[in-house]
């Protein structure tokens, strides 16, 4: 994980560090940092470094009727909502699995757990269902009637595993690369969410899932269909809703 001595992760090496306004953490950054586990803290610090002050980030906030708690909820008035589930699993921890369940080698023995991508998907769909009940957050008519005004998506972060740890295995079959980040991608270039982003500022080009369709990069979407005023209003309402659950 970048940090410690030297230039910050999002500053070019050898230059005086530039400290842009950082993301807003409504729960309080110090409070969030204190309750993170080591893997979550790696992700938190990279979010802090590489997101500007038009992003809002919540940690472990209950969502939906079943109060599911993804590790991070990231909101941007233009780019929408992204949910992340962080797992600090090691190579020795991983057992066989499929897209529904995976086996984890724990000190007490091998256990079968829900696939983290399914886990965070369930949280995302719970949040989407809750938001779609608010008429101010959905399209009033047209082909997307009843669907959210803004994009949403989910992914997982394997904050301990590196690419070399999983080479030659079926890891990519169990954990789809387009929705999975490895430790290598929490590097000095900043977080590169599921679209293989190359620069910190390209964090804004996050992969999202739009109205039940396939994963589509934002730069491939038809932005002429977006109502930016409604998106901004919707994002404000989502912010208020999430803040009441923090």
């Amino acid at each position: 994980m970048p940090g410690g001595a030297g230039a910050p992760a999002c500053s070019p090496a050898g230059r005086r560090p530039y400290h842009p306004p950082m993301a807003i953490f409504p729960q309080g950054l110090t409070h969030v940092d204190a309750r993170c586990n080591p893997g979550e803290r790696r992700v938190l610090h990279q979010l802090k470094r590489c997101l500007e002050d038009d992003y809002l980030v919540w940690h472990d906030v209950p969502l939906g009727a079943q109060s599911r708690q993804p590790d991070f909820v990231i909101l941007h008035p233009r780019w929408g909502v992204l949910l992340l589930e962080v797992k600090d699993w090691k190579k020795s921890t991983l057992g066989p699995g499929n897209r529904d369940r995976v086996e984890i080698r724990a000190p007490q023995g091998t256990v079968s757990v829900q696939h983290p991508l399914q886990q965070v998907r369930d949280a995302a769909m719970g949040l989407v269902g809750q938001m779609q009940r608010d008429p101010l957050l959905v399209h009033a008519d047209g082909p997307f009637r009843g669907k959210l005004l803004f994009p949403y998506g989910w992914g997982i972060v394997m904050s301990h595993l590196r690419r070399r740890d999983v080479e030659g295995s079926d890891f990519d079959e169990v954990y789809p690369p387009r929705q999975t980040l490895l430790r290598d991608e929490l590097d000095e270039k900043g977080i590169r969410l599921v679209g293989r982003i190359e620069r910190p500022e390209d964090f804004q080009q996050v992969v999202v899932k739009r109205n039940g369709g396939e994963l589509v990069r934002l730069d491939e979407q038809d932005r002429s269909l977006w109502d930016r005023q409604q998106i901004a209003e919707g994002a404000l309402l989502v912010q208020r809703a999430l803040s009441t659950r923090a």
Side-chain angles (χ1 to χ4, degrees), residues 19-218:
H19 300 284
M22 72 175 184
I24 297 171
F25 297 82
Q27 298 159 298
L29 180 59
T30 301
H31 173 68
V32 172
D33 187 279
R35 68 183 193 177
C36 281
N37 64 37
E40 293 167 357
R41 190 168 290 112
R42 292 186 193 107
V43 177
L44 172 68
H45 288 180
Q46 204 70 325
L47 295 174
K48 179 183 71 173
R49 289 185 182 98
C50 295
L51 295 186
E52 298 182 352
D53 61 355
D54 49 355
Y55 287 86
L56 292 102
V57 181
W58 289 264
H59 172 259
D60 203 28
V61 61
L63 302 175
Q66 298 185 15
S67 295
R68 301 181 188 274
Q69 295 178 254
D71 291 317
F72 291 100
V73 178
I74 303 168
L75 172 67
H76 188 276
R78 182 176 181 185
W79 308 125
V81 181
L82 177 72
L83 280 66
L84 294 178
E85 183 66 25
V86 181
K87 297 299 183 187
D88 205 30
W89 295 341
K90 301 178 181 179
K91 180 180 180 180
S92 59
T93 304
L94 290 180
N98 55 42
R99 296 294 179 94
D100 297 316
R101 301 193 67 82
V102 295
E103 291 186 3
I104 300 300
R105 301 183 183 98
Q108 66 272 27
T110 300
V111 295
S112 175
V113 299
Q114 185 182 27
H115 194 298
L117 198 55
Q118 290 297 320
Q119 182 182 347
V120 71
R121 178 191 179 279
D122 289 347
M125 297 315 296
L127 175 61
V128 168
Q130 184 177 1
M131 293 188 296
Q132 285 180 336
R133 291 195 291 271
D134 189 329
L136 294 178
L137 298 181
V138 299
H139 292 272
D141 50 34
F144 295 118
R145 181 178 180 180
K147 301 296 184 180
L148 291 178
L149 292 165
F150 45 85
Y152 61 90
W154 57 84
I156 58 177
V157 184
M158 298 292 195
S159 57
H160 194 281
L161 288 173
R162 296 187 181 276
R163 174 52 58 184
R164 65 172 180 263
D165 295 328
V166 298
E167 287 178 348
S169 71
D170 63 349
F171 182 85
D172 288 349
E173 296 176 16
V174 180
Y175 302 94
R178 282 186 63 83
Q179 291 175 286
T180 305
L181 283 174
L182 298 177
R183 176 70 179 269
D184 309 74
E185 294 161 303
L186 300 178
D187 61 12
E188 292 187 358
K189 295 179 181 177
I191 275 188
R192 294 175 286 171
L193 285 181
V194 261
R196 295 299 171 262
I197 293 167
E198 294 299 333
R199 299 172 301 167
E201 58 268 30
D202 288 343
F203 181 93
Q204 298 174 1
Q205 300 300 321
V206 63
V207 174
V208 297
K209 189 175 181 69
R210 174 66 170 172
N211 293 327
E214 295 299 317
L215 288 169
V216 181
R217 284 180 60 100
L218 284 172

